[in-house]
């Protein structure tokens, strides 16, 4: 059996099969991490008959190694730092501030691009299913969780097609439920798990949210 998903759409359909307990309930909200999480979440929301919105979070990449997260930032100026990475690489405050400011600009741009003037859906007292196309370090997902937790939902479920085993175990301590289809002990790039992992565009995100 191939471990790979053909694309994000198929990954979302497979994920939805494991989330049937949440179908056709009024208080369920599917939240996607853009951009790659949106096509996955769209399929889940469609098959569960649930509302969908985006949770916009930006990874704070290490200067010169953008893929490596030293933290993440989200709306309402919520920042989560990965102190281990910062300490081990000796990243100074000035560099951190520069990256934070750059990502804040991109965060605002995306908020405007995806939502326009529509406010975010209120998550208070709702069951939130938070979705991405996969988790590598978990920094972005943790930042998203911090934001959602502050808004007092009734329940938080993290649902992803693939994530490292230790990250899944960490997330279980943070949320009410974790649904992950593949939890390898050693995680290579998320893209390895997909036959088609082409980048999701802003236009695709807008179209799916509409």
């Amino acid at each position: 059996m191939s471990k790979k998903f053909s694309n994000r759409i198929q990954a979302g359909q497979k994920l939805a099969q494991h989330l049937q307990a949440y179908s056709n309930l009024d208080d369920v909200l599917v939240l996607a991490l853009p951009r790659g999480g949106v096509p996955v979440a769209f399929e889940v929301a469609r098959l569960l008959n649930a509302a969908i919105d985006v949770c916009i979070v930006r990874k704070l990449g290490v200067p010169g190694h953008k893929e490596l997260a030293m933290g993440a930032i989200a709306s309402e100026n919520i920042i989560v730092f990965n102190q281990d990475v910062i300490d081990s690489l000796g990243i100074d405050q000035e560099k951190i501030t520069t990256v934070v400011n750059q990502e804040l600009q991109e965060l605002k741009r995306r908020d405007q691009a995806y939502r326009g003037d529509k406010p975010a859906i209120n998550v208070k007292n709702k069951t939130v299913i938070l979705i991405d196309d996969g988790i590598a370090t978990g920094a972005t997902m943790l930042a998203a969780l911090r934001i959602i937790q502050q808004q007092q939902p009734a329940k938080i479920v993290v649902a992803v097609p693939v994530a490292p085993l230790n990250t899944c175990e960490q997330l279980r301590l943070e949320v009410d439920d974790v649904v992950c289809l593949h939890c390898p002990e050693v995680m290579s790039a998320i893209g390895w798990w997909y036959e088609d992992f082409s980048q999701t565009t802003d236009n695709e995100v807008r179209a799916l949210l509409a």
Side-chain angles (χ1 to χ4, degrees):
M1 178 186 132
S2 164
K3 283 187 287 196
K4 296 191 178 184
F5 304 101
S6 50
N7 55 27
R8 291 182 179 91
I9 293 168
Q10 190 215 18
Q13 290 165 352
K14 285 188 170 181
L15 205 49
Q17 290 168 9
H18 294 261
L19 292 163
Q20 285 304 308
Y22 301 102
S23 65
N24 296 311
L25 298 175
D26 290 343
D27 67 337
V28 171
L29 172 62
V30 174
L31 279 186
L33 291 178
R35 286 179 286 202
V38 176
V40 182
F42 178 79
E43 290 302 314
V44 172
R46 185 175 68 81
L47 293 164
L48 297 185
N49 193 21
I52 184 172
D53 198 1
V54 283
C55 181
I56 303 175
V57 178
R58 293 290 298 164
K59 183 165 66 181
L60 299 172
V62 171
H65 300 279
K66 282 206 152 156
E67 277 310 296
L68 183 61
M70 59 178 176
I73 186 166
S75 320
E76 318 298 328
N77 289 345
I78 295 172
I79 304 177
V80 178
F81 287 115
N82 190 340
Q83 207 56 50
D84 293 349
V85 171
I86 291 168
D87 293 345
S88 66
L89 295 174
I91 303 164
D92 63 45
Q93 189 59 49
E94 193 180 345
K95 283 184 176 152
I96 293 171
T97 304
T98 303
V99 174
V100 167
N101 287 338
Q102 284 169 347
E103 293 302 344
L104 260 178
Q105 291 304 314
E106 178 60 13
L107 196 75
K108 286 174 182 160
R109 185 195 72 75
R110 287 191 178 203
D111 208 24
Q112 182 62 34
Y114 302 156
R115 279 215 189 88
D117 298 323
K118 279 199 323 196
I121 297 178
N122 185 358
V123 306
K124 188 167 181 169
N125 299 330
K126 284 194 161 60
T127 294
V128 173
I129 303 178
L130 186 60
I131 293 181
D132 204 352
D133 55 11
I135 297 175
T137 64
T140 312
M141 184 60 82
L142 271 175
L145 286 174
R146 293 287 172 268
I147 297 163
I148 294 164
Q149 283 161 346
Q150 290 187 3
Q151 297 173 46
Q152 301 170 320
K155 184 174 182 178
I156 303 177
V157 179
V158 169
V160 288
V162 60
L165 184 61
N166 62 343
T167 304
C168 287
E169 286 167 357
Q170 283 173 328
L171 286 170
R172 282 185 204 286
L173 304 174
E174 296 273 342
V175 298
D176 298 285
D177 193 11
V178 175
V179 175
C180 182
L181 305 183
H182 295 287
C183 301
E185 283 192 24
V186 179
M187 179 80 177
S188 51
I190 295 169
W192 185 85
W193 293 81
Y194 288 83
E195 282 159 29
D196 172 12
F197 196 64
S198 49
Q199 202 170 18
T200 307
T201 65
D202 283 350
N203 285 339
E204 286 173 80
V205 170
R206 266 197 296 269
L208 290 171
L209 291 175

